[in-house]
Amino acid sequence: MPPRPVLAAALGSAALLCAAVGPATAAPAESVTASAESVTVDATGRLADDGTVTLSGTYTCTDATGPVFVSSSVSQDSPTSRHGVGGTRAVCDGAEHHWENTGKVTSEKLEPGAARVEATIMELRPAGGLPLPFFHVTRQQDIKLAKG
């Protein structure tokens, strides 16, 4: 089977299993915030004329057994509507690393000015043959989107 359908099937299976298992698969909030793991968001993001958004920051993570990613999303006018802005593969070696995600938001026109960003370090941790999502740390931050 080609890699993309295999990955899609694995992620779909993980989502179904998470729905069946419930919140017990997520780490308790205390363990996430009490650890040496962190993710930051730079105070300014870039917004190109074609709608492409670039967000960046730093991260630190440890103790990963599966592939890890830094994902990000942005919202502007509605706190309930978020737009995914790319994802970056993360290295969880305890050192601080830079991340940068770029993506084009097509469902809503973003404007230069105030915006809210959420950045998350998420691992696909192997569990019984299926990769299950494990959230290391999440941060929400108000930023400025600038033309560029």
Side-chain angles (χ1 to χ4, degrees):
M1 196 177 232
R4 284 186 183 227
V6 170
L7 181 59
L11 291 175
S13 298
L16 288 173
L17 187 57
C18 286
V21 173
T25 59
E30 305 83 48
S31 69
V32 172
T33 56
S35 73
E37 299 183 319
S38 67
V39 63
T40 68
V41 179
D42 291 340
T44 303
R46 295 188 314 268
L47 177 62
D49 289 335
D50 69 354
T52 300
V53 177
T54 302
L55 304 171
S56 59
T58 62
Y59 73 89
T60 304
C61 59
T62 59
D63 300 327
T65 57
V68 181
F69 303 90
V70 179
S71 65
S72 59
S73 62
V74 64
S75 63
Q76 202 162 45
D77 292 329
S78 170
T80 59
S81 177
R82 300 185 106 19
H83 306 283
V85 179
T88 301
R89 185 78 188 255
V91 177
C92 290
D93 59 2
E96 184 176 270
H97 298 277
H98 176 77
W99 65 269
E100 180 174 286
N101 293 342
T102 300
K104 190 169 183 177
V105 175
T106 57
S107 63
E108 174 186 332
K109 183 156 173 61
L110 296 174
E111 300 289 337
R116 182 109 174 133
V117 170
E118 181 174 283
T120 302
I121 300 174
M122 191 274 299
E123 176 183 356
L124 292 175
R125 189 171 278 182
L130 290 175
L132 296 180
F134 177 84
F135 297 93
H136 286 256
V137 65
T138 297
R139 178 181 182 111
Q140 292 187 7
Q141 183 171 323
D142 292 328
I143 68 159
K144 177 184 174 185
L145 284 178
K147 284 230 174 221

